[in-house]
């Protein structure tokens, strides 16, 4: 008899846990972007302190100098890989295009069910990278930067939000979802550190302020 009651209590507990999980599923976002987890705030502060401060120079920038959305595997290019990674229940056709799914944009808190409503944001924009040292890179290195799935550099977000961001750095643009800003600046600093890019004085000041509140 004690074993029976123990099993019954476990069964009730499992059912209750499942109910709680279901409630969370219905009340929460339908999907959450799977940006590779950035370094901690403490590590980001250390990285930021080591970055060279320099004035930006956009002379000669052209987006085509950063070959992007290259083939990653089979027929899937970088954009399609990120859409699959960042969405929930994503269905792709034989050409790897997402035909259905759900995507939650962490920048603005919007949920979308059409891939056409999403852009893949270069968290550190290509023009920003050019201004910060990528003008001296080889084309191969710029291609690696523009298609980097390992660092927290690519993320699926609402298209017009990404377009509003443009090539701005954290001194002039941040996600409207304030709870995501710590993740955003940690990722920004990690990418700049990994690629040995510079920061300008206003950018460093803004990053320092945000990181101090993480």
């Amino acid at each position: 008899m004690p074993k029976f009651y123990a099993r019954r209590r476990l069964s009730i507990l499992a059912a209750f846990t499942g109910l709680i999980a279901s409630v969370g599923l219905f009340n929460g976002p339908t999907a959450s972007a799977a940006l590779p987890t950035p370094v901690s705030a403490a590590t980001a502060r250390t990285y930021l302190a080591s970055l060279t401060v320099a004035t930006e120079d956009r002379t000669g920038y052209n987006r085509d100098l950063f070959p992007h959305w290259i083939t990653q595997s089979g027929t899937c290019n970088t954009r399609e890989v990120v859409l699959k990674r960042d969405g929930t229940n994503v269905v792709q056709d034989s050409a790897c295009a997402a035909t259905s799914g759900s995507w939650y944009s962490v920048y603005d808190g919007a949920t979308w069910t059409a891939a056409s409503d999403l852009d893949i944001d270069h968290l550190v924009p290509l023009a920003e990278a050019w201004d910060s040292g990528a003008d001296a890179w080889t084309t191969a290195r710029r291609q690696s930067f523009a298609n980097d799935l390992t660092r927290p550099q690519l993320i699926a977000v609402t298209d017009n939000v990404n377009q509003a961001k443009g090539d701005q750095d954290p001194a002039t643009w941040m996600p409207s979802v304030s709870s995501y800003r710590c993740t955003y600046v940690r990722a920004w600093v990690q990418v700049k550190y990994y690629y040995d890019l510079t920061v300008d004085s206003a950018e460093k000041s803004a990053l320092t302020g945000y990181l101090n509140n993480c």
Side-chain angles (χ1 to χ4, degrees), residues 51-100:
L51 295 181
T52 299
V53 178
T55 302
E56 294 182 351
D57 181 5
R58 191 159 301 183
T59 304
Y61 171 72
N62 186 319
R63 187 175 175 84
D64 292 339
L65 294 170
F66 292 80
H68 54 285
W69 306 167
I70 62 171
T71 300
Q72 293 289 344
S73 64
T75 60
C76 299
N77 67 26
T78 308
R79 171 184 165 83
E80 292 154 350
V81 170
V82 176
L83 284 172
K84 176 72 170 179
R85 181 199 72 186
D86 289 3
T88 294
N89 299 323
V90 177
V91 175
Q92 296 173 306
D93 62 20
S94 59
C96 211
T99 57
S100 63

mmCIF file of all heavy atoms in Angstrom, residues 51-100:
data_model
loop_
_atom_site.group_PDB
_atom_site.id
_atom_site.type_symbol
_atom_site.label_atom_id
_atom_site.label_comp_id
_atom_site.label_asym_id
_atom_site.label_seq_id
_atom_site.Cartn_x
_atom_site.Cartn_y
_atom_site.Cartn_z
ATOM 1 N N LEU A 51 39.668 46.648 -25.707
ATOM 2 C CA LEU A 51 39.449 47.064 -27.093
ATOM 3 C C LEU A 51 40.065 48.439 -27.361
ATOM 4 O O LEU A 51 40.003 49.337 -26.529
ATOM 5 C CB LEU A 51 37.953 47.103 -27.422
ATOM 6 C CG LEU A 51 37.209 45.759 -27.385
ATOM 7 C CD1 LEU A 51 35.744 45.968 -27.747
ATOM 8 C CD2 LEU A 51 37.852 44.746 -28.321
ATOM 9 N N THR A 52 40.642 48.587 -28.531
ATOM 10 C CA THR A 52 41.232 49.862 -28.935
ATOM 11 C C THR A 52 40.137 50.866 -29.251
ATOM 12 O O THR A 52 39.160 50.537 -29.935
ATOM 13 C CB THR A 52 42.119 49.670 -30.183
ATOM 14 O OG1 THR A 52 43.164 48.759 -29.868
ATOM 15 C CG2 THR A 52 42.715 50.991 -30.650
ATOM 16 N N VAL A 53 40.279 52.072 -28.737
ATOM 17 C CA VAL A 53 39.332 53.151 -29.039
ATOM 18 C C VAL A 53 39.869 53.925 -30.237
ATOM 19 O O VAL A 53 41.022 54.385 -30.229
ATOM 20 C CB VAL A 53 39.144 54.093 -27.837
ATOM 21 C CG1 VAL A 53 38.203 55.238 -28.194
ATOM 22 C CG2 VAL A 53 38.606 53.314 -26.635
ATOM 23 N N ALA A 54 39.060 54.057 -31.277
ATOM 24 C CA ALA A 54 39.498 54.740 -32.497
ATOM 25 C C ALA A 54 38.309 55.373 -33.196
ATOM 26 O O ALA A 54 37.168 54.912 -33.050
ATOM 27 C CB ALA A 54 40.196 53.763 -33.431
ATOM 28 N N THR A 55 38.561 56.392 -33.961
ATOM 29 C CA THR A 55 37.521 57.050 -34.750
ATOM 30 C C THR A 55 37.140 56.144 -35.922
ATOM 31 O O THR A 55 38.012 55.524 -36.546
ATOM 32 C CB THR A 55 38.023 58.396 -35.296
ATOM 33 O OG1 THR A 55 38.419 59.207 -34.188
ATOM 34 C CG2 THR A 55 36.943 59.107 -36.094
ATOM 35 N N GLU A 56 35.857 56.053 -36.210
ATOM 36 C CA GLU A 56 35.402 55.197 -37.300
ATOM 37 C C GLU A 56 35.701 55.828 -38.659
ATOM 38 O O GLU A 56 35.681 57.044 -38.809
ATOM 39 C CB GLU A 56 33.900 54.926 -37.159
ATOM 40 C CG GLU A 56 33.555 54.117 -35.923
ATOM 41 C CD GLU A 56 32.066 53.814 -35.819
ATOM 42 O OE1 GLU A 56 31.285 54.379 -36.611
ATOM 43 O OE2 GLU A 56 31.688 53.013 -34.950
ATOM 44 N N ASP A 57 35.961 54.969 -39.649
ATOM 45 C CA ASP A 57 36.231 55.434 -41.001
ATOM 46 C C ASP A 57 35.502 54.533 -41.987
ATOM 47 O O ASP A 57 35.829 53.350 -42.105
ATOM 48 C CB ASP A 57 37.737 55.400 -41.269
ATOM 49 C CG ASP A 57 38.096 55.895 -42.678
ATOM 50 O OD1 ASP A 57 37.186 56.351 -43.402
ATOM 51 O OD2 ASP A 57 39.281 55.815 -43.031
ATOM 52 N N ARG A 58 34.511 55.071 -42.666
ATOM 53 C CA ARG A 58 33.700 54.277 -43.587
ATOM 54 C C ARG A 58 34.177 54.373 -45.038
ATOM 55 O O ARG A 58 33.551 53.842 -45.945
ATOM 56 C CB ARG A 58 32.229 54.690 -43.494
ATOM 57 C CG ARG A 58 31.296 53.734 -44.235
ATOM 58 C CD ARG A 58 29.875 53.824 -43.753
ATOM 59 N NE ARG A 58 29.799 53.510 -42.341
ATOM 60 C CZ ARG A 58 28.664 53.444 -41.661
ATOM 61 N NH1 ARG A 58 27.520 53.683 -42.262
ATOM 62 N NH2 ARG A 58 28.680 53.159 -40.381
ATOM 63 N N THR A 59 35.276 54.991 -45.273
ATOM 64 C CA THR A 59 35.780 55.150 -46.630
ATOM 65 C C THR A 59 35.863 53.810 -47.355
ATOM 66 O O THR A 59 36.489 52.860 -46.866
ATOM 67 C CB THR A 59 37.190 55.791 -46.617
ATOM 68 O OG1 THR A 59 37.133 57.017 -45.909
ATOM 69 C CG2 THR A 59 37.683 56.035 -48.041
ATOM 70 N N GLY A 60 35.211 53.727 -48.509
ATOM 71 C CA GLY A 60 35.290 52.531 -49.342
ATOM 72 C C GLY A 60 34.322 51.423 -49.000
ATOM 73 O O GLY A 60 34.344 50.360 -49.634
ATOM 74 N N TYR A 61 33.428 51.617 -48.018
ATOM 75 C CA TYR A 61 32.516 50.538 -47.627
ATOM 76 C C TYR A 61 31.543 50.181 -48.752
ATOM 77 O O TYR A 61 30.968 51.048 -49.404
ATOM 78 C CB TYR A 61 31.706 50.916 -46.388
ATOM 79 C CG TYR A 61 30.604 49.914 -46.108
ATOM 80 C CD1 TYR A 61 30.913 48.647 -45.625
ATOM 81 C CD2 TYR A 61 29.262 50.212 -46.363
ATOM 82 C CE1 TYR A 61 29.922 47.696 -45.393
ATOM 83 C CE2 TYR A 61 28.260 49.280 -46.123
ATOM 84 C CZ TYR A 61 28.594 48.030 -45.643
ATOM 85 O OH TYR A 61 27.611 47.100 -45.422
ATOM 86 N N ASN A 62 31.365 48.892 -48.928
ATOM 87 C CA ASN A 62 30.372 48.348 -49.854
ATOM 88 C C ASN A 62 29.907 47.017 -49.272
ATOM 89 O O ASN A 62 30.739 46.153 -48.955
ATOM 90 C CB ASN A 62 30.982 48.141 -51.246
ATOM 91 C CG ASN A 62 29.949 47.710 -52.281
ATOM 92 O OD1 ASN A 62 29.076 46.897 -52.004
ATOM 93 N ND2 ASN A 62 30.062 48.264 -53.483
ATOM 94 N N ARG A 63 28.611 46.856 -49.124
ATOM 95 C CA ARG A 63 28.065 45.630 -48.514
ATOM 96 C C ARG A 63 28.513 44.381 -49.266
ATOM 97 O O ARG A 63 28.690 43.312 -48.666
ATOM 98 C CB ARG A 63 26.533 45.718 -48.488
ATOM 99 C CG ARG A 63 25.852 44.584 -47.714
ATOM 100 C CD ARG A 63 24.349 44.822 -47.631
ATOM 101 N NE ARG A 63 23.633 43.719 -47.016
ATOM 102 C CZ ARG A 63 23.486 43.553 -45.706
ATOM 103 N NH1 ARG A 63 24.015 44.436 -44.877
ATOM 104 N NH2 ARG A 63 22.808 42.531 -45.229
ATOM 105 N N ASP A 64 28.720 44.518 -50.569
ATOM 106 C CA ASP A 64 29.133 43.363 -51.361
ATOM 107 C C ASP A 64 30.532 42.870 -51.006
ATOM 108 O O ASP A 64 30.931 41.778 -51.420
ATOM 109 C CB ASP A 64 29.076 43.700 -52.858
ATOM 110 C CG ASP A 64 27.647 43.914 -53.344
ATOM 111 O OD1 ASP A 64 26.714 43.422 -52.676
ATOM 112 O OD2 ASP A 64 27.465 44.575 -54.388
ATOM 113 N N LEU A 65 31.284 43.670 -50.257
ATOM 114 C CA LEU A 65 32.611 43.240 -49.820
ATOM 115 C C LEU A 65 32.540 42.207 -48.699
ATOM 116 O O LEU A 65 33.566 41.654 -48.293
ATOM 117 C CB LEU A 65 33.431 44.456 -49.358
ATOM 118 C CG LEU A 65 33.767 45.470 -50.474
ATOM 119 C CD1 LEU A 65 34.357 46.744 -49.870
ATOM 120 C CD2 LEU A 65 34.730 44.851 -51.468
ATOM 121 N N PHE A 66 31.317 41.963 -48.198
ATOM 122 C CA PHE A 66 31.070 40.947 -47.169
ATOM 123 C C PHE A 66 30.151 39.876 -47.773
ATOM 124 O O PHE A 66 28.931 39.945 -47.594
ATOM 125 C CB PHE A 66 30.388 41.556 -45.947
ATOM 126 C CG PHE A 66 31.237 42.500 -45.144
ATOM 127 C CD1 PHE A 66 31.424 43.820 -45.559
ATOM 128 C CD2 PHE A 66 31.836 42.098 -43.954
ATOM 129 C CE1 PHE A 66 32.181 44.705 -44.811
ATOM 130 C CE2 PHE A 66 32.601 42.980 -43.200
ATOM 131 C CZ PHE A 66 32.782 44.287 -43.627
ATOM 132 N N PRO A 67 30.680 38.908 -48.492
ATOM 133 C CA PRO A 67 29.815 37.872 -49.082
ATOM 134 C C PRO A 67 28.988 37.201 -47.986
ATOM 135 O O PRO A 67 29.541 36.656 -47.028
ATOM 136 C CB PRO A 67 30.811 36.893 -49.708
ATOM 137 C CG PRO A 67 32.060 37.703 -49.933
ATOM 138 C CD PRO A 67 32.108 38.666 -48.775
ATOM 139 N N HIS A 68 27.664 37.278 -48.100
ATOM 140 C CA HIS A 68 26.841 36.714 -47.034
ATOM 141 C C HIS A 68 25.726 35.834 -47.593
ATOM 142 O O HIS A 68 25.425 35.862 -48.785
ATOM 143 C CB HIS A 68 26.282 37.806 -46.123
ATOM 144 C CG HIS A 68 25.544 38.889 -46.835
ATOM 145 N ND1 HIS A 68 26.173 39.863 -47.563
ATOM 146 C CD2 HIS A 68 24.231 39.158 -46.928
ATOM 147 C CE1 HIS A 68 25.281 40.696 -48.072
ATOM 148 N NE2 HIS A 68 24.085 40.276 -47.719
ATOM 149 N N TRP A 69 25.175 35.081 -46.668
ATOM 150 C CA TRP A 69 24.194 34.047 -46.943
ATOM 151 C C TRP A 69 24.776 33.009 -47.905
ATOM 152 O O TRP A 69 24.195 32.627 -48.892
ATOM 153 C CB TRP A 69 22.887 34.622 -47.473
ATOM 154 C CG TRP A 69 22.244 35.685 -46.634
ATOM 155 C CD1 TRP A 69 21.218 36.496 -47.035
ATOM 156 C CD2 TRP A 69 22.509 36.068 -45.273
ATOM 157 N NE1 TRP A 69 20.858 37.365 -46.033
ATOM 158 C CE2 TRP A 69 21.631 37.124 -44.935
ATOM 159 C CE3 TRP A 69 23.406 35.637 -44.308
ATOM 160 C CZ2 TRP A 69 21.628 37.735 -43.686
ATOM 161 C CZ3 TRP A 69 23.420 36.263 -43.060
ATOM 162 C CH2 TRP A 69 22.538 37.281 -42.772
ATOM 163 N N ILE A 70 25.963 32.551 -47.520
ATOM 164 C CA ILE A 70 26.633 31.489 -48.269
ATOM 165 C C ILE A 70 25.987 30.148 -47.933
ATOM 166 O O ILE A 70 25.285 30.005 -46.930
ATOM 167 C CB ILE A 70 28.133 31.445 -47.940
ATOM 168 C CG1 ILE A 70 28.353 31.143 -46.443
ATOM 169 C CG2 ILE A 70 28.822 32.744 -48.345
ATOM 170 C CD1 ILE A 70 29.793 30.866 -46.058
ATOM 171 N N THR A 71 26.230 29.155 -48.752
ATOM 172 C CA THR A 71 25.714 27.809 -48.498
ATOM 173 C C THR A 71 26.409 27.214 -47.276
ATOM 174 O O THR A 71 27.639 27.228 -47.178
ATOM 175 C CB THR A 71 25.937 26.904 -49.711
ATOM 176 O OG1 THR A 71 25.262 27.455 -50.846
ATOM 177 C CG2 THR A 71 25.413 25.494 -49.442
ATOM 178 N N GLN A 72 25.596 26.699 -46.350
ATOM 179 C CA GLN A 72 26.127 26.074 -45.140
ATOM 180 C C GLN A 72 26.158 24.551 -45.248
ATOM 181 O O GLN A 72 27.117 23.912 -44.838
ATOM 182 C CB GLN A 72 25.306 26.505 -43.922
ATOM 183 C CG GLN A 72 25.441 27.981 -43.576
ATOM 184 C CD GLN A 72 26.804 28.333 -42.995
ATOM 185 O OE1 GLN A 72 27.566 27.466 -42.575
ATOM 186 N NE2 GLN A 72 27.120 29.617 -42.979
ATOM 187 N N SER A 73 25.089 24.001 -45.769
ATOM 188 C CA SER A 73 25.029 22.554 -46.001
ATOM 189 C C SER A 73 23.885 22.254 -46.963
ATOM 190 O O SER A 73 22.826 22.872 -46.876
ATOM 191 C CB SER A 73 24.819 21.791 -44.681
ATOM 192 O OG SER A 73 23.573 22.117 -44.109
ATOM 193 N N GLY A 74 24.136 21.311 -47.888
ATOM 194 C CA GLY A 74 23.103 20.975 -48.854
ATOM 195 C C GLY A 74 22.661 22.192 -49.641
ATOM 196 O O GLY A 74 23.471 22.888 -50.248
ATOM 197 N N THR A 75 21.348 22.475 -49.577
ATOM 198 C CA THR A 75 20.804 23.661 -50.259
ATOM 199 C C THR A 75 20.560 24.808 -49.282
ATOM 200 O O THR A 75 19.996 25.830 -49.665
ATOM 201 C CB THR A 75 19.484 23.301 -50.966
ATOM 202 O OG1 THR A 75 18.541 22.829 -49.995
ATOM 203 C CG2 THR A 75 19.692 22.232 -52.021
ATOM 204 N N CYS A 76 20.960 24.645 -48.035
ATOM 205 C CA CYS A 76 20.651 25.636 -46.998
ATOM 206 C C CYS A 76 21.735 26.705 -46.880
ATOM 207 O O CYS A 76 22.909 26.386 -46.639
ATOM 208 C CB CYS A 76 20.494 24.953 -45.646
ATOM 209 S SG CYS A 76 19.166 23.733 -45.580
ATOM 210 N N ASN A 77 21.329 27.967 -47.021
ATOM 211 C CA ASN A 77 22.290 29.050 -46.813
ATOM 212 C C ASN A 77 22.205 29.559 -45.375
ATOM 213 O O ASN A 77 21.408 29.083 -44.568
ATOM 214 C CB ASN A 77 22.096 30.170 -47.844
ATOM 215 C CG ASN A 77 20.773 30.917 -47.694
ATOM 216 O OD1 ASN A 77 20.190 30.988 -46.613
ATOM 217 N ND2 ASN A 77 20.291 31.501 -48.792
ATOM 218 N N THR A 78 23.025 30.533 -45.050
ATOM 219 C CA THR A 78 23.112 31.009 -43.666
ATOM 220 C C THR A 78 21.780 31.542 -43.154
ATOM 221 O O THR A 78 21.383 31.254 -42.015
ATOM 222 C CB THR A 78 24.190 32.107 -43.548
ATOM 223 O OG1 THR A 78 25.405 31.619 -44.107
ATOM 224 C CG2 THR A 78 24.415 32.495 -42.098
ATOM 225 N N ARG A 79 21.081 32.328 -43.966
ATOM 226 C CA ARG A 79 19.779 32.867 -43.542
ATOM 227 C C ARG A 79 18.831 31.733 -43.165
ATOM 228 O O ARG A 79 18.171 31.780 -42.123
ATOM 229 C CB ARG A 79 19.164 33.727 -44.649
ATOM 230 C CG ARG A 79 17.716 34.136 -44.338
ATOM 231 C CD ARG A 79 17.053 34.920 -45.464
ATOM 232 N NE ARG A 79 15.602 34.965 -45.279
ATOM 233 C CZ ARG A 79 14.952 35.817 -44.495
ATOM 234 N NH1 ARG A 79 15.641 36.703 -43.788
ATOM 235 N NH2 ARG A 79 13.651 35.778 -44.379
ATOM 236 N N GLU A 80 18.772 30.711 -43.989
ATOM 237 C CA GLU A 80 17.836 29.614 -43.750
ATOM 238 C C GLU A 80 18.217 28.810 -42.511
ATOM 239 O O GLU A 80 17.340 28.345 -41.770
ATOM 240 C CB GLU A 80 17.787 28.740 -45.006
ATOM 241 C CG GLU A 80 17.136 29.467 -46.178
ATOM 242 C CD GLU A 80 17.594 28.967 -47.550
ATOM 243 O OE1 GLU A 80 18.552 28.177 -47.615
ATOM 244 O OE2 GLU A 80 16.975 29.384 -48.548
ATOM 245 N N VAL A 81 19.501 28.672 -42.263
ATOM 246 C CA VAL A 81 19.958 27.975 -41.059
ATOM 247 C C VAL A 81 19.534 28.747 -39.809
ATOM 248 O O VAL A 81 19.058 28.163 -38.828
ATOM 249 C CB VAL A 81 21.488 27.782 -41.080
ATOM 250 C CG1 VAL A 81 21.996 27.292 -39.725
ATOM 251 C CG2 VAL A 81 21.888 26.804 -42.170
ATOM 252 N N VAL A 82 19.683 30.075 -39.830
ATOM 253 C CA VAL A 82 19.304 30.886 -38.668
ATOM 254 C C VAL A 82 17.794 30.876 -38.470
ATOM 255 O O VAL A 82 17.305 30.791 -37.332
ATOM 256 C CB VAL A 82 19.838 32.324 -38.800
ATOM 257 C CG1 VAL A 82 19.361 33.187 -37.628
ATOM 258 C CG2 VAL A 82 21.362 32.325 -38.862
ATOM 259 N N LEU A 83 17.034 30.934 -39.552
ATOM 260 C CA LEU A 83 15.571 30.872 -39.427
ATOM 261 C C LEU A 83 15.144 29.556 -38.785
ATOM 262 O O LEU A 83 14.257 29.540 -37.926
ATOM 263 C CB LEU A 83 14.912 31.018 -40.801
ATOM 264 C CG LEU A 83 14.869 32.427 -41.392
ATOM 265 C CD1 LEU A 83 14.358 32.383 -42.830
ATOM 266 C CD2 LEU A 83 13.983 33.349 -40.551
ATOM 267 N N LYS A 84 15.767 28.471 -39.177
ATOM 268 C CA LYS A 84 15.444 27.173 -38.590
ATOM 269 C C LYS A 84 15.847 27.137 -37.121
ATOM 270 O O LYS A 84 15.092 26.678 -36.259
ATOM 271 C CB LYS A 84 16.188 26.067 -39.361
ATOM 272 C CG LYS A 84 16.021 24.673 -38.806
ATOM 273 C CD LYS A 84 14.633 24.117 -39.060
ATOM 274 C CE LYS A 84 14.570 22.636 -38.702
ATOM 275 N NZ LYS A 84 13.215 22.074 -38.924
ATOM 276 N N ARG A 85 17.026 27.643 -36.812
ATOM 277 C CA ARG A 85 17.548 27.644 -35.446
ATOM 278 C C ARG A 85 16.700 28.499 -34.511
ATOM 279 O O ARG A 85 16.429 28.114 -33.373
ATOM 280 C CB ARG A 85 18.987 28.172 -35.451
ATOM 281 C CG ARG A 85 19.679 28.207 -34.108
ATOM 282 C CD ARG A 85 20.884 29.138 -34.124
ATOM 283 N NE ARG A 85 20.483 30.550 -34.160
ATOM 284 C CZ ARG A 85 21.340 31.557 -34.292
ATOM 285 N NH1 ARG A 85 22.627 31.320 -34.437
ATOM 286 N NH2 ARG A 85 20.884 32.811 -34.302
ATOM 287 N N ASP A 86 16.279 29.660 -34.975
ATOM 288 C CA ASP A 86 15.617 30.631 -34.111
ATOM 289 C C ASP A 86 14.105 30.464 -34.030
ATOM 290 O O ASP A 86 13.457 31.154 -33.236
ATOM 291 C CB ASP A 86 15.923 32.058 -34.578
ATOM 292 C CG ASP A 86 17.361 32.468 -34.302
ATOM 293 O OD1 ASP A 86 18.126 31.622 -33.794
ATOM 294 O OD2 ASP A 86 17.723 33.619 -34.596
ATOM 295 N N GLY A 87 13.542 29.584 -34.835
ATOM 296 C CA GLY A 87 12.089 29.425 -34.847
ATOM 297 C C GLY A 87 11.614 28.188 -34.107
ATOM 298 O O GLY A 87 12.402 27.378 -33.601
ATOM 299 N N THR A 88 10.318 28.052 -34.032
ATOM 300 C CA THR A 88 9.668 26.882 -33.440
ATOM 301 C C THR A 88 8.811 26.211 -34.504
ATOM 302 O O THR A 88 8.095 26.889 -35.251
ATOM 303 C CB THR A 88 8.785 27.295 -32.256
ATOM 304 O OG1 THR A 88 9.620 27.812 -31.207
ATOM 305 C CG2 THR A 88 7.990 26.116 -31.716
ATOM 306 N N ASN A 89 8.900 24.893 -34.599
ATOM 307 C CA ASN A 89 8.122 24.109 -35.570
ATOM 308 C C ASN A 89 8.324 24.617 -37.005
ATOM 309 O O ASN A 89 7.368 24.709 -37.780
ATOM 310 C CB ASN A 89 6.634 24.128 -35.212
ATOM 311 C CG ASN A 89 6.354 23.522 -33.849
ATOM 312 O OD1 ASN A 89 6.993 22.553 -33.453
ATOM 313 N ND2 ASN A 89 5.408 24.093 -33.107
ATOM 314 N N VAL A 90 9.560 24.924 -37.334
ATOM 315 C CA VAL A 90 9.854 25.441 -38.666
ATOM 316 C C VAL A 90 9.858 24.296 -39.678
ATOM 317 O O VAL A 90 10.535 23.278 -39.476
ATOM 318 C CB VAL A 90 11.217 26.166 -38.691
ATOM 319 C CG1 VAL A 90 11.556 26.638 -40.102
ATOM 320 C CG2 VAL A 90 11.193 27.343 -37.726
ATOM 321 N N VAL A 91 9.098 24.474 -40.745
ATOM 322 C CA VAL A 91 9.054 23.502 -41.843
ATOM 323 C C VAL A 91 9.747 24.133 -43.044
ATOM 324 O O VAL A 91 9.487 25.284 -43.395
ATOM 325 C CB VAL A 91 7.597 23.132 -42.204
ATOM 326 C CG1 VAL A 91 7.562 22.217 -43.420
ATOM 327 C CG2 VAL A 91 6.904 22.476 -41.010
ATOM 328 N N GLN A 92 10.663 23.373 -43.641
ATOM 329 C CA GLN A 92 11.385 23.850 -44.809
ATOM 330 C C GLN A 92 11.074 22.983 -46.017
ATOM 331 O O GLN A 92 10.855 21.783 -45.888
ATOM 332 C CB GLN A 92 12.899 23.839 -44.541
ATOM 333 C CG GLN A 92 13.328 24.796 -43.430
ATOM 334 C CD GLN A 92 14.791 24.639 -43.074
ATOM 335 O OE1 GLN A 92 15.243 23.535 -42.779
ATOM 336 N NE2 GLN A 92 15.529 25.737 -43.075
ATOM 337 N N ASP A 93 11.063 23.614 -47.211
ATOM 338 C CA ASP A 93 10.820 22.848 -48.428
ATOM 339 C C ASP A 93 12.132 22.248 -48.942
ATOM 340 O O ASP A 93 13.176 22.351 -48.286
ATOM 341 C CB ASP A 93 10.127 23.705 -49.490
ATOM 342 C CG ASP A 93 10.969 24.904 -49.941
ATOM 343 O OD1 ASP A 93 12.197 24.887 -49.740
ATOM 344 O OD2 ASP A 93 10.386 25.851 -50.512
ATOM 345 N N SER A 94 12.082 21.631 -50.099
ATOM 346 C CA SER A 94 13.262 20.942 -50.631
ATOM 347 C C SER A 94 14.405 21.900 -50.949
ATOM 348 O O SER A 94 15.564 21.486 -51.033
ATOM 349 C CB SER A 94 12.885 20.170 -51.895
ATOM 350 O OG SER A 94 12.361 21.054 -52.880
ATOM 351 N N ALA A 95 14.092 23.199 -51.090
ATOM 352 C CA ALA A 95 15.123 24.206 -51.350
ATOM 353 C C ALA A 95 15.598 24.854 -50.054
ATOM 354 O O ALA A 95 16.357 25.824 -50.076
ATOM 355 C CB ALA A 95 14.585 25.272 -52.309
ATOM 356 N N CYS A 96 15.123 24.359 -48.918
ATOM 357 C CA CYS A 96 15.485 24.814 -47.572
ATOM 358 C C CYS A 96 14.775 26.109 -47.166
ATOM 359 O O CYS A 96 15.057 26.649 -46.098
ATOM 360 C CB CYS A 96 17.001 24.991 -47.435
ATOM 361 S SG CYS A 96 17.598 24.676 -45.756
ATOM 362 N N ALA A 97 13.865 26.600 -47.966
ATOM 363 C CA ALA A 97 13.113 27.802 -47.595
ATOM 364 C C ALA A 97 12.078 27.456 -46.536
ATOM 365 O O ALA A 97 11.407 26.424 -46.625
ATOM 366 C CB ALA A 97 12.422 28.394 -48.821
ATOM 367 N N ALA A 98 11.952 28.323 -45.512
ATOM 368 C CA ALA A 98 10.975 28.092 -44.438
ATOM 369 C C ALA A 98 9.571 28.376 -44.950
ATOM 370 O O ALA A 98 9.267 29.490 -45.380
ATOM 371 C CB ALA A 98 11.293 28.979 -43.249
ATOM 372 N N THR A 99 8.713 27.364 -44.923
ATOM 373 C CA THR A 99 7.345 27.522 -45.413
ATOM 374 C C THR A 99 6.351 27.757 -44.285
ATOM 375 O O THR A 99 5.247 28.250 -44.519
ATOM 376 C CB THR A 99 6.922 26.283 -46.212
ATOM 377 O OG1 THR A 99 7.056 25.116 -45.376
ATOM 378 C CG2 THR A 99 7.794 26.117 -47.453
ATOM 379 N N SER A 100 6.730 27.408 -43.079
ATOM 380 C CA SER A 100 5.870 27.682 -41.924
ATOM 381 C C SER A 100 6.718 27.610 -40.658
ATOM 382 O O SER A 100 7.840 27.115 -40.665
ATOM 383 C CB SER A 100 4.716 26.676 -41.835
ATOM 384 O OG SER A 100 5.205 25.360 -41.632
#
